[in-house]
Amino acid sequence: MNSKSTETIPTLALLFTLVAAACESPPSSPTVTVFDSAGVRVVDLGPVPLESAENRALADEPDLVIRSSEDDGATVFSDIRDVEVLPRGRVAVANGSGNDILVFDAAGEHIATWGGTGDAPGEFRSLEWLASLPPDSLAAGDGRLRRVTIFDSEGGFARGLATASAVDRASRPVPPRPLGLLANGSVVAGYFDRPAAVEGTARPAVEIVATAPAGDSMQMVGTWPGEELALFSQDGQLQITQPPFGRRLHVASAHDGVWIADDDRWQMRKYSAGGVLSMIVRSSASRAVVTDELLEAYIGERYRYADQVPALEDLKRDQREIARHTTTPAFGAIRPTTEGGVAVSEFKLDTVSPRVWITVGPDGAVQAIELPAGLDVKRWGPDWVIGVVRDALDREEIHRYRIVAGAGREY
């Protein structure tokens, strides 16, 4: 993909909408290009990934719904950070508001609560993610304490994992932030640089590393530009904010590796725990041009919950002053699939309309599916998707949908 392109043709996100509305018949579907190069599997989806995808459909209703209990304070959750599927059909929920893990059975009934707020073993200060660890353990990452906690199948504290080796802790006083866990017990973590205190836009570097299960060694995976920030002076002080349509780094740990993608381009790269590149999924899809209407939509979404909203034109002027992109990010989010592939969502600003995802298997098989509006995907299985939604009162719920056989929407 040419990152400097200024063409106004529809991007991946806009193309979904236009073709779905049957504005015109799509051209004949090209074949996905899959080849191996120096041990790396490369899957090239061409300029229009949807034309290479097999359409799938989602069940009309979720087959599992988990809600907070209004009668039992122990099962009230909010600020859900992550959801993990455990053996025997159980579901673990990382509850950010309580720094605890709520465990539900296959029917959605609460059966246990693990962890809590604190510094002791098995407690958290900033619970951020969950990861199952074969055969039946659960790992939980704490961004503030910079550690990973392993629970056994019954929720007992098993052990803690460091995010840096002893050598690296000696050279860098602050350990890296844990980002995920691989099946072999290696901790995927990141060192996040701070932006320089000067006006302008910056993407401070993120160094991704993998620490061995024993904590005695660390492997460098790579360094990438991180979240884009805008620094500007206001009332004599330097302010930092996220610019409109700013780029960011996406890191998604799977059992057999870690997917890393910069949304400045439509490309996902998978690395092993040893930092070896094993797979690339890419497309030359163009990105959407940032129009005045799109900027207004961005402002509307950003201030959706604000008590007081400044005048629209003033906001648009301010946002244009810190914006440097004329196009949107190339995609919205990525999630690893349980089969070793990757799921990629279209870029959208709103949460009130459905969102199309593309999945690419390790063998290069490509599928497309439209997910319900507002579903924040946490896990992608072989025939199911589980995520978080908000009801009419802005309360969080967990929904699992089955992916059924047969064609879905015609894109």
Side-chain angles (χ1 to χ4, degrees):
M1 179 180 65
N2 182 0
S3 60
K4 298 182 180 180
S5 174
T6 57
E7 293 178 299
T8 58
I9 61 175
T11 71
L12 179 64
L14 294 185
L15 185 66
F16 291 161
T17 304
L18 293 177
V19 177
C23 294
E24 58 180 288
S25 299
S28 58
S29 300
T31 302
V32 176
T33 303
V34 181
F35 61 94
D36 292 334
S37 175
V40 178
R41 170 62 54 89
V42 179
V43 182
D44 193 330
L45 277 62
V48 187
L50 282 177
E51 292 183 354
S52 305
E54 172 193 0
N55 294 338
R56 300 295 301 275
L58 208 64
D60 292 334
E61 299 293 336
D63 69 330
L64 176 66
V65 176
I66 299 175
R67 298 185 176 93
S68 288
S69 172
E70 297 181 356
D71 302 323
D72 182 4
T75 59
V76 173
F77 52 73
S78 64
D79 187 20
I80 297 176
R81 304 290 178 81
D82 202 3
V83 178
E84 179 61 292
V85 178
L86 303 178
R88 305 195 302 274
R90 297 175 300 164
V91 175
V93 179
N95 178 30
S97 62
N99 273 316
D100 50 16
I101 302 169
L102 305 182
V103 183
F104 299 84
D105 63 18
E109 297 295 327
H110 177 253
I111 56 176
T113 298
W114 305 343
T117 300
D119 300 325
E123 296 179 336
F124 307 97
R125 286 296 177 183
S126 181
L127 175 60
E128 294 184 345
W129 54 262
L130 303 173
S132 60
L133 186 63
D136 57 4
S137 298
L138 178 69
D142 191 315
R144 183 175 299 179
L145 296 179
R146 295 294 203 270
R147 70 187 185 191
V148 176
T149 298
I150 307 296
F151 295 93
D152 62 26
S153 61
E154 301 304 319
F157 173 78
R159 64 188 186 278
L161 298 177
T163 60
S165 67
V167 173
D168 287 279
R169 287 197 297 271
S171 61
R172 295 182 176 182
V174 179
R177 176 180 166 187
L179 302 175
L181 190 74
L182 306 184
N184 70 350
S186 296
V187 178
V188 177
Y191 288 103
F192 293 77
D193 286 352
R194 293 179 178 273
V198 295
E199 289 192 65
T201 58
R203 295 191 64 184
V206 180
E207 180 182 332
I208 305 298
V209 297
T211 302
D216 55 355
S217 63
M218 177 184 289
Q219 178 68 47
M220 173 77 166
V221 178
T223 301
W224 288 268
E227 183 174 13
E228 187 170 11
L229 301 173
L231 294 85
F232 60 96
S233 295
Q234 187 177 61
D235 300 327
Q237 294 186 343
L238 192 65
Q239 306 292 329
I240 300 178
T241 188
Q242 296 173 325
F245 310 104
R247 302 333 192 206
R248 57 187 291 258
L249 184 68
H250 300 252
V251 180
S253 295
H255 283 172
D256 59 343
V258 55
W259 287 96
I260 299 177
D262 180 349
D263 59 21
D264 193 42
R265 59 189 304 196
W266 212 102
Q267 179 173 277
M268 297 79 214
R269 301 167 69 89
K270 187 179 183 181
Y271 294 85
S272 70
V276 178
L277 180 64
S278 61
M279 186 173 179
I280 298 175
V281 177
R282 67 191 184 192
S283 166
S284 57
S286 300
R287 294 161 295 183
V289 173
V290 176
T291 62
D292 199 59
E293 292 76 17
L294 198 56
L295 187 59
E296 290 182 10
Y298 168 86
I299 293 171
E301 182 67 18
R302 185 166 186 174
Y303 288 89
R304 184 155 54 110
Y305 298 108
D307 294 330
Q308 294 182 343
V309 180
L312 177 60
E313 291 305 317
D314 292 341
L315 282 174
K316 288 166 63 175
R317 183 190 64 247
D318 293 342
Q319 295 300 316
R320 288 194 187 96
E321 288 180 357
I322 63 174
R324 74 176 183 89
H325 294 289
T326 59
T327 59
T328 68
F331 60 88
I334 65 171
R335 295 288 185 270
T337 67
T338 58
E339 298 177 313
V342 65
V344 186
S345 81
E346 62 174 320
F347 174 81
K348 269 192 175 181
L349 292 170
D350 66 87
T351 58
V352 297
S353 57
R355 188 172 303 220
V356 177
W357 287 70
I358 288 178
T359 64
V360 182
D363 60 351
V366 184
Q367 296 181 343
I369 189 166
E370 182 180 80
L371 299 189
L375 181 65
D376 179 12
V377 175
K378 298 301 184 183
R379 290 292 182 274
W380 199 293
D383 61 353
W384 52 265
V385 174
I386 192 167
V388 180
V389 300
R390 293 181 179 273
D391 65 12
L393 299 178
D394 204 34
R395 296 172 300 193
E396 291 173 307
E397 298 180 353
I398 297 163
H399 289 190
R400 184 183 66 198
Y401 286 88
R402 293 292 174 180
I403 301 173
V404 298
R409 268 185 57 176
E410 290 297 330
Y411 301 107

